[in-house]
Amino acid sequence: MSRYSTLLVANRGEIARRVFRTARAMGLRTVAVFVDADTDALFLADADEAVRIESYLDGAAIIDAARATGAGAVHPGYGFLAENADFARAVSEGDLVWVGPSPDAIAAMGDKIAAKALAVEADVPVLPSTDDPDHFETVGFPLLVKAAAGGGGKGMRIVQTADQLADAVESARREAGAGFGDDRVFAERYVARSRHVEIQVLGDQHGGLVHLGERECSIQRRHQKIIEESPSPFIDDATRSAMGEAALRLASLLSYQSAGTVEFLVDDRSGDFFFLEINTRLQVEHPVTEAVTGIDLVREQLRIAQGEALGYEQSDVAFAGHSVQARLYAEDPANDFLPATGTIEAFEPHADPSVRWDTGVGPGSVIGTGFDPMIAKVITHRPTRTEAAGALALALERLHIGGVVTNRDFLTAVLRSDAFLAGDTTTDFIDRVEPARRHDADDHERRRLAVAAALWMQAANRHDAVTLPTLPSGWRIGRLPAERIELAHDDQPVTVHYRPRRDGGFALGLRGDEGRARVHRWSPADIDVEVDGRRCTYRVARAHDRLHVTGAGGTFTWQLVPRFSVPHIEMPGGAVTAPMPGKVVEVRVKAGDEVEAGQVVVVLEAMKMENHLRAAQPGTVTEVRVGVGDQIEKDVLLLVIDDGRETSDR
Amino acid sequence: MTRTLLAPPLPSALDTGDAQFRQNREDMLEQLAQIEELLDEADAGGGPERMERLRSRGKLPIRERIANVLDPDSPFLEISPLAAYKSDYVMGGGMVVGIGVIAGTECVIMGNDPTVLAGALTPYAAKKWMRALEIARDNRLPYISFVESAGGDLRVQTGDGEGRRRAQLDHFAETGRFFYEMIELSKMEIPTVCVVFGSSTAGGAYQPGLSDYTIMVKEQSKMFLAGPPLVKMATGEESDDETLGGAEMHTTVSGGGDYFAEDEMDALRLCREVVSHLNWRKPGPEPRFDVEPPAHDPEDLLGIMSRDLTKPVDVRDVIARTTDGSRFEQFKPRWGATMVCGWASIHGYPVGILGNNGVIYPDAAQKAAHFIQLCNQIDVPLVFLQNITGFMVGKDFEADGIIKKGSQMINAVSNSTVPHLTVIIGSSYGAGTYGMSGRSFGNRFTFRWHTAKIAVMGPKQIAGVMSQVRRGQAARAGIEFDEEEDAETVAQVEAIQEKGSLALRATGAITDDGIVDPRDTRDVLGMCLSVVRNRPIDGAEGYGVFRL
């Protein structure tokens, strides 16, 4: 009997909350697991109980946690152990219900080479490929070298010509080995301009099997999806049916139970589709399918795991409207989408119940290097694709977020681009269309944002005043210079001068001749302010010396330049600091060593990439502050090199 | 406790569409525009060239020093900004004095304007300085001095200069008193903080010398009893001013300076830090009531007073535009009606208000004396709204004891120990000035509207009285009285008296704390009511209330 009343979710963040939400609605008790780094994470509050574990990859501890709390089932979410057949087996063998496909199906699909063979067996078109390393060239160029056990773009190389092949295979193998503990790679024909389209399938334990249409996920950076939608703007009804049937044939061959996704590569020129792989789990982009079908995929997973029949057939599945999802990441699009870290100091989606926000973070959450830096998934569902994309862009623009660099502006630029709106979405979209990586406020917008920030501070000062709090702001008998606030953005300083007027407004500028402003309403969270006749409510959050101001064009972060600078101890001239967050994998010098300018002193790994940090000047290493394995934040001082100059005057 | 006084808002019959009102408003706005121009003049200090020279040396003008030491967006009440009006000295007298908030603490700030005679002490600056010390002492406010002064204005002593008419205030004899007063403050545990921004020579050196805390600026502050020229004259010793009395020497060798600042802004930062550690607590009670804006628009205050002060004004129209929610509980409204007395709150602080609705009759004087006693019983500060031509004269009133009853009022005012705040909105003549807690009667603050006139009596009256005296003398001497000549003299006297009684003349001579825009009256009083609470508010004790 597979009935259960308590569900443990072996995951964290956004997906844990997503699963808890449906489980709770279905009347299930919920249990979370968490590691130390997640002690303050929001998903813990969504569960009835939480169990501390060492790692989300520690299957035994998770099974123990389920037993200890009386959980009858384990939902793996996605990532971590979601596609680990051994764990699925251990769960099932531990008399717990595994919410997912059978361990055998996971195992079969986990090996991409084996999966491809099955696809061929199911008469599903596949790309020419070979796993014979001596004959990779037989698939034809351009080709793709991929890790057999991989995913997420790791261990993947595009090879244009034969002479690049050997190097590509070598490096892909190394990366695969490091990433997955399995260095097998295979070669596959590369389709130059393609789309990524996938079919959602659902199977129950009684042979019931349906597909829920496709999702197109072609907009990718670093081989990871960032915008997904359903339906695809490219797929016509005939192709949809053909792909759906192909997916069902393959699922049927696997006796697939639970939710799964059959991924295809679609040739943008011919419209031909080729099998890529099956993901034997819930997908990050599942909400768009939920939106257009009205089917809660987590609910279906939980029902199927309980042994319930789907209760509907393919012909019952109806599609309505269009749904688009964007993944908001803590990353810097302007810096090759490198992950960003930091504390989220402001987070407030604009209140609009028609926009779905799946998120695991809130104000105060820390985005570290330990986990995926996804902040939220934002999903809209509208009658047309254009409306769904527009509404999504608007929701992103209106998001009040500060503290970490995000890809918000970039997502918005994609969603508002002509190419996207025309449905011209191929996997090379970003390189081809080159949407703006960041939104730069023009001088006028910058001025309004500066005035809004200054007047917000002004009102906050009055609000916080304990002495004479009821006197008007900046009230004067006699003459004093205008009030002054110095702000900076990207190290560009802006000074706002303002002087209260008797009518309750403010005259701007040192001499009061640079326009007018009026605060219509102020609260600690926002300000309704009119600047030169243009009025807008800006949401504002202050964190230390930063002010995050969200207007119509997204969030703008001002650095508050203090009125007084406190004399401080200078940073040593020969300091080597971390240019990005990451893990120290090598320290090549020790205190006392002589170094040359340009010599590599520390190797830092960030997002599986090695970064060589070099000495800027020759000298003697006087201090080493980090060791191998240290996880460090950006700008942390790693070591100090003394250049031997006289420093006694410091 | 209720959140507001229970008295209902005052009704107001003021007709803002009335021609007289509109004329008054226009006149007042014209007068206020003049004030603005004069304030600009004060702001300019020694002029743009000197300001520029100051800046080029990395220094800040005095008003920027003050703006930077204050808490952002907090209020600042400048004292006597128009001192030295119509004198040979620069508007403001070369010194800025005011009350501002530093690190949440109300402080008196006095600062030399180095662009005016290199900060030398003008007679006006001397009087302002004394006033700053008085405000600090009477209200127990920490005293902050921004010193940059060449010392005394030696031109006065030597008779040097352009030979123009100088102010006739003999200031040398008074000078020592500053230092005495500073020590007094310290003795009373009122902190004194001195930031030396420039040279502080001879007598000037005693300002930091006698302060509790002294902050000096690197390569800028100079503090010595005698500068290099005088030292050379006296002893023949060669020296330069940095080694003689620079910040470096004083903070490392002599100990004359406590804090060493990198530059002016750093000095201001240190000044704020010092004030923040003073552990300053206000013993006076916090505001008791909700702060409601007046129910009647304070903007209307512009049109209440006429240039011609003989036009009748109901002071309750002023009260209704000054108090929280326009609430006013009138005391004895049916008796002594020319003296309006009652209770209200301003910025949440309870006050007793006395205002004039005409000349003071014997009963009105007694009512005021009674009311002042009541406010002392309950420790409520008093606000005097002066528009008073004086105590009533004439045989009936002498017989009714106007001297005796007027004296009762003046006695009550003098013996009252709650803070008095006085605003002269119109006439302020004769003993009426005294009875309504004028400047000489120990009030804490005196402000004027531009319409105010202050003198021993009205210009017409004084000219007329003198004419009658001349007529009598002529009659006694048996000389024929020249009516034509007399009429001319009367007109001249009247004009001189009129001019001398004007608010600007009075404020220029520092006989008040400044002229305020009528619309600021409520906020000025609100700020002062907060300021006076730096000292306990204790009404007079010793007798029960005399029903007079």
Side-chain angles (χ1 to χ4, degrees):
Chain A
M1 189 57 211
S2 51
R3 283 275 161 208
Y4 54 88
S5 56
T6 302
L7 174 71
L8 180 143
V9 176
N11 215 304
R12 64 182 295 280
E14 165 272 322
I15 189 59
R17 300 185 87 189
R18 163 71 193 93
V19 175
F20 288 142
R21 189 170 73 224
T22 289
R24 210 167 42 231
M26 293 171 72
L28 298 172
R29 286 190 294 264
T30 51
V31 177
V33 289
F34 70 104
V35 299
D36 285 350
D38 276 335
T39 299
D40 299 320
L42 296 181
F43 73 92
L44 298 182
D46 287 3
D48 296 317
E49 198 179 343
V51 179
R52 184 190 294 271
I53 56 172
E54 286 300 313
S55 160
Y56 294 112
L57 294 171
D58 186 346
I62 291 167
I63 290 169
D64 285 349
R67 290 235 177 72
T69 54
V74 174
H75 191 301
Y78 52 70
F80 296 125
L81 297 171
E83 290 174 286
N84 184 317
D86 293 339
F87 177 63
R89 198 166 282 121
V91 168
S92 304
E93 285 169 1
D95 280 335
L96 295 165
V97 174
W98 168 251
V99 183
S102 67
D104 291 343
I106 296 173
M109 292 299 107
D111 182 333
K112 292 190 180 179
I113 297 167
K116 201 163 174 183
L118 267 175
V120 171
E121 191 186 330
D123 198 19
V124 176
V126 296
L127 281 171
S129 71
T130 176
D131 56 358
D132 177 354
D134 298 330
H135 296 94
F136 276 4
E137 71 283 356
T138 57
V139 303
F141 291 95
L143 62 78
L144 202 57
V145 179
K146 294 167 82 173
K154 281 167 203 156
M156 201 182 273
R157 294 287 184 281
I158 296 167
V159 186
Q160 299 289 353
T161 53
D163 58 322
Q164 301 169 345
L165 187 61
D167 280 352
V169 169
E170 189 50 41
S171 67
R173 194 167 261 159
R174 210 168 39 235
E175 216 169 276
F180 314 111
D182 177 351
D183 69 354
R184 288 177 304 142
V185 293
F186 66 98
E188 190 176 73
R189 171 71 70 75
Y190 177 65
V191 178
R193 182 159 292 181
S194 62
R195 290 170 182 258
H196 179 109
V197 181
E198 59 191 29
I199 301 289
Q200 175 72 51
V201 297
L202 273 181
D204 64 20
Q205 299 178 17
H206 312 285
L209 191 62
V210 297
H211 75 81
L212 303 182
E214 82 284 7
R215 292 185 288 260
E216 180 169 341
C217 321
S218 303
I219 313 279
Q220 304 182 355
R221 54 100 187 89
R222 297 165 75 92
H223 299 294
Q224 283 180 331
K225 305 159 184 172
I226 50 170
I227 289 177
E228 298 111 331
E229 60 183 314
S230 183
S232 160
F234 182 75
I235 303 297
D236 59 22
D237 286 345
T239 314
R240 181 171 295 116
S241 301
M243 290 176 82
E245 280 159 22
L248 291 179
R249 280 200 301 279
L250 186 53
S252 182
L253 194 66
L254 287 162
S255 303
Y256 198 85
Q257 297 164 17
S258 193
T261 297
V262 185
E263 293 189 340
F264 294 99
L265 184 125
V266 177
D267 190 323
D268 189 58
R269 295 203 178 84
S270 64
D272 293 339
F273 60 91
F274 306 97
F275 170 79
L276 286 177
E277 59 177 322
I278 293 193
N279 291 318
T280 53
R281 53 167 161 90
L282 195 64
Q283 297 276 96
V284 178
E285 59 271 25
H286 75 273
V288 294
T289 298
E290 295 185 323
V292 295
T293 61
I295 292 170
D296 180 334
L297 285 169
V298 173
R299 177 169 175 266
E300 297 308 288
Q301 285 188 302
L302 295 174
R303 283 203 313 120
I304 291 164
Q306 300 247 22
E308 289 184 25
L310 280 179
Y312 47 85
E313 295 171 9
Q314 190 63 52
S315 57
D316 296 324
V317 178
F319 302 93
H322 199 103
S323 178
V324 186
Q325 167 177 296
R327 298 192 199 181
L328 183 71
Y329 276 99
E331 64 181 23
D332 187 0
N335 189 12
D336 201 23
F337 299 100
L338 275 178
T341 57
T343 300
I344 295 185
E345 295 166 340
F347 186 80
E348 189 198 351
H350 196 78
D352 180 350
S354 76
V355 178
R356 175 172 166 181
W357 289 82
D358 281 17
T359 177
V361 301
S365 295
V366 176
I367 306 288
T369 51
F371 302 113
D372 186 68
M374 190 168 79
I375 295 169
K377 305 187 310 202
V378 194
I379 306 103
T380 53
H381 183 213
R382 295 289 186 273
T384 68
R385 183 171 183 271
T386 306
E387 289 169 73
L392 182 53
L394 191 66
L396 286 164
E397 283 161 358
R398 290 180 166 193
L399 168 67
H400 181 40
I401 186 163
V404 286
V405 178
T406 74
N407 63 343
R408 179 250 301 270
D409 294 348
F410 178 70
L411 292 171
T412 308
V414 170
L415 291 165
R416 295 227 187 262
S417 68
D418 291 340
F420 182 85
L421 293 173
D424 182 13
T425 49
T426 49
T427 51
D428 60 352
F429 183 91
I430 292 171
D431 292 334
R432 183 164 55 84
V433 178
E434 296 184 335
R437 300 272 169 121
R438 53 178 281 179
H439 167 77
D440 283 312
D442 65 26
D443 287 350
H444 295 288
E445 188 181 350
R446 194 175 278 244
R447 169 180 143 84
R448 286 194 302 275
L449 285 160
V451 171
L455 294 182
W456 184 90
M457 279 299 297
Q458 165 275 139
N461 285 338
R462 294 313 294 152
H463 180 259
D464 296 342
V466 289
T467 307
L468 299 164
T470 60
L471 267 284
S473 180
W475 181 84
R476 301 276 177 264
I477 292 290
R479 286 274 189 281
L480 284 187
E483 293 281 356
R484 184 188 77 222
I485 285 191
E486 271 185 65
L487 305 162
H489 181 80
D490 283 352
D491 294 328
Q492 285 183 14
V494 176
T495 303
V496 180
H497 291 279
Y498 59 92
R499 200 188 286 275
R501 289 166 47 83
R502 193 172 287 281
D503 65 6
F506 292 89
L508 302 173
L510 190 57
R511 279 167 297 279
D513 55 0
E514 291 168 23
R516 295 281 167 82
R518 177 176 291 274
V519 177
H520 291 279
R521 192 182 51 76
W522 176 89
S523 83
D526 63 4
I527 184 168
D528 174 359
V529 63
E530 186 181 323
V531 184
D532 299 337
R534 285 179 67 173
R535 183 171 168 182
C536 179
T537 295
Y538 296 89
R539 275 171 292 167
V540 183
R542 180 176 180 184
H544 312 289
D545 56 352
R546 286 176 297 283
L547 216 51
H548 305 294
V549 183
T550 302
T555 308
F556 198 86
T557 296
W558 289 112
Q559 197 77 25
L560 290 165
V561 181
R563 202 197 287 181
F564 303 102
S565 53
V566 179
H568 60 281
I569 298 146
E570 295 276 317
M571 191 70 131
V576 178
T577 57
M580 67 197 76
K583 192 165 107 181
V584 176
V585 293
E586 213 178 324
V587 179
R588 295 195 182 170
V589 292
K590 58 186 188 304
D593 285 1
E594 296 293 324
V595 292
E596 292 302 315
Q599 183 180 333
V600 174
V601 288
V602 172
V603 181
L604 194 64
E605 187 191 77
M607 287 311 279
K608 307 290 175 211
M609 290 191 306
E610 289 188 352
N611 295 278
H612 290 175
L613 309 185
R614 298 166 193 278
Q617 58 182 27
T620 311
V621 177
T622 55
E623 204 180 341
V624 178
R625 294 206 179 172
V626 289
V628 172
D630 286 359
Q631 198 64 214
I632 51 160
E633 295 296 308
K634 190 170 181 286
D635 296 331
V636 163
L637 180 63
L638 305 177
L639 55 81
V640 181
I641 297 162
D642 183 1
D643 61 4
R645 279 188 312 212
E646 187 58 52
T647 53
S648 61
D649 61 345
R650 270 212 299 271
Chain B
M1 189 188 101
T2 55
R3 299 179 64 88
T4 63
L5 286 171
L6 295 180
L10 274 176
S12 177
L14 192 67
D15 179 7
T16 57
D18 174 60
Q20 182 67 50
F21 178 92
R22 288 200 307 245
Q23 183 60 49
N24 292 348
R25 187 171 188 281
E26 225 166 86
D27 289 348
M28 182 60 90
L29 285 171
E30 194 186 308
Q31 291 171 331
L32 290 172
Q34 185 197 0
I35 298 281
E36 291 298 312
E37 277 175 28
L38 296 174
L39 288 173
D40 285 341
E41 207 182 313
D43 188 22
E49 270 175 39
R50 290 206 173 88
M51 286 285 179
E52 214 30 69
R53 203 184 314 153
L54 189 77
R55 283 185 195 283
S56 71
R57 286 181 292 161
K59 294 180 154 201
L60 298 172
I62 179 59
R63 288 173 194 274
E64 276 186 44
R65 288 173 182 163
I66 293 173
N68 279 304
V69 83
L70 297 178
D71 291 353
D73 308 297
S74 65
F76 181 69
L77 172 61
E78 186 172 344
I79 301 296
S80 294
L82 303 184
Y85 168 74
K86 287 268 166 134
S87 77
D88 292 332
Y89 291 89
V90 167
M91 189 69 64
M95 179 181 284
V96 179
V97 169
I99 301 171
V101 182
I102 303 173
T105 305
E106 287 150 319
C107 299
V108 177
I109 303 163
M110 97 53 148
N112 301 112
D113 184 344
T115 67
V116 178
L117 301 176
L121 200 63
T122 70
Y124 291 98
K127 198 169 179 189
K128 275 172 99 162
W129 185 5
M130 284 304 287
R131 176 63 184 141
L133 290 160
E134 183 178 60
I135 292 170
R137 187 190 59 216
D138 290 355
N139 301 289
R140 292 193 62 83
L141 295 188
Y143 171 81
I144 315 294
S145 51
F146 289 174
V147 176
E148 177 160 20
S149 173
D153 180 0
L154 292 175
R155 299 179 314 169
V156 177
Q157 273 89 43
T158 59
D160 201 13
E162 302 85 32
R164 289 191 294 165
R165 182 174 59 84
R166 299 280 163 212
Q168 298 303 302
L169 300 157
D170 177 17
H171 71 281
F172 178 72
E174 282 183 345
T175 47
R177 188 72 192 178
F178 312 129
F179 306 118
Y180 180 85
E181 291 281 343
M182 285 179 69
I183 298 162
E184 279 287 298
L185 291 184
S186 190
K187 180 174 142 195
M188 293 168 74
E189 296 178 359
I190 297 170
T192 53
V193 183
C194 180
V195 186
V196 185
F197 281 105
S199 66
S200 177
T201 314
Y206 286 108
Q207 287 192 67
L210 296 173
S211 293
D212 295 352
Y213 298 91
T214 298
I215 298 162
M216 298 187 73
V217 184
K218 179 177 165 184
E219 291 164 11
Q220 192 172 315
S221 306
K222 308 282 183 277
M223 186 167 97
F224 27 60
L225 277 191
L230 182 55
V231 169
K232 183 150 172 60
M233 290 303 293
T235 67
E237 187 183 47
E238 295 277 355
S239 57
D240 65 87
D241 54 7
E242 183 63 26
T243 44
L244 197 59
E248 180 73 28
M249 191 284 282
H250 278 303
T251 54
T252 59
V253 183
S254 79
D258 305 319
Y259 297 84
F260 179 84
E262 288 291 327
D263 53 25
E264 292 212 0
M265 285 302 280
D266 201 35
L268 296 168
R269 173 184 70 86
L270 289 166
C271 180
R272 288 176 55 77
E273 285 186 14
V274 167
V275 175
S276 78
H277 85 229
L278 292 177
N279 195 23
W280 200 246
R281 290 144 298 178
K282 290 172 73 169
E286 287 301 297
R288 288 196 48 154
F289 300 113
D290 282 352
V291 180
E292 306 169 281
H296 302 288
D297 191 352
E299 189 75 18
D300 300 341
L301 291 171
L302 293 175
I304 289 181
M305 299 302 299
S306 301
R307 263 188 215 273
D308 175 5
L309 294 178
T310 59
K311 296 264 188 293
V313 169
D314 187 343
V315 75
R316 286 172 301 185
D317 284 336
V318 177
I319 294 169
R321 285 158 183 82
T322 305
T323 63
D324 292 343
S326 299
R327 293 173 194 281
F328 186 60
E329 180 201 334
Q330 217 172 323
F331 174 67
K332 271 183 180 317
R334 296 151 65 93
W335 198 80
T338 59
M339 182 64 71
V340 174
C341 300
W343 288 276
S345 71
I346 296 175
H347 280 276
Y349 296 105
V351 287
I353 299 177
L354 294 94
N356 308 112
N357 262 0
V359 71
I360 304 175
Y361 292 98
D363 58 350
Q366 288 190 306
K367 175 178 168 182
H370 187 179
F371 181 71
I372 290 165
Q373 292 181 79
L374 291 176
C375 289
N376 273 270
Q377 291 287 97
I378 58 177
D379 300 336
V380 165
L382 290 167
V383 169
F384 293 84
L385 297 175
Q386 287 195 6
N387 182 21
I388 182 64
T389 50
F391 288 88
M392 193 62 197
V393 295
K395 85 169 176 248
D396 289 351
F397 303 102
E398 295 292 357
D400 194 11
I402 185 67
I403 295 175
K404 189 177 76 176
K405 291 172 183 173
S407 296
Q408 286 170 357
M409 177 178 173
I410 296 171
N411 199 323
V413 165
S414 304
N415 283 311
S416 164
T417 55
V418 296
H420 294 181
L421 309 175
T422 304
V423 184
I424 306 171
I425 61 174
S427 310
S428 178
Y429 291 127
T433 304
Y434 309 156
M436 291 296 286
S437 199
R439 180 75 156 180
S440 307
F441 279 73
N443 67 17
R444 298 287 180 90
F445 292 99
T446 310
F447 295 97
R448 278 191 181 84
W449 288 7
H450 204 311
T451 40
K453 283 179 193 164
I454 179 162
V456 63
M457 60 185 84
K460 261 197 176 57
Q461 287 74 18
I462 200 164
V465 166
M466 286 169 71
S467 164
Q468 285 178 45
V469 170
R470 282 191 300 274
R471 199 181 293 272
Q473 284 169 340
R476 279 195 299 278
I479 305 167
E480 194 192 338
F481 192 65
D482 185 341
E483 292 290 346
E484 215 166 286
E485 194 192 320
D486 183 67
E488 211 170 286
T489 311
V490 165
Q492 271 176 9
V493 169
E494 201 179 319
I496 290 166
Q497 282 297 316
E498 169 76 16
K499 237 180 166 176
S501 71
L502 291 179
L504 268 171
R505 274 296 172 85
T507 209
I510 320 177
T511 64
D512 63 12
D513 295 309
I515 295 178
V516 298
D517 186 317
R519 295 168 291 184
D520 284 329
T521 308
R522 168 180 164 76
D523 293 332
V524 169
L525 292 172
M527 181 153 177
C528 291
L529 286 166
S530 171
V531 164
V532 299
R533 278 168 163 71
N534 282 276
R535 182 177 148 182
I537 294 177
D538 284 323
E541 287 165 16
Y543 289 97
V545 174
F546 294 104
R547 292 197 68 88
L548 297 169

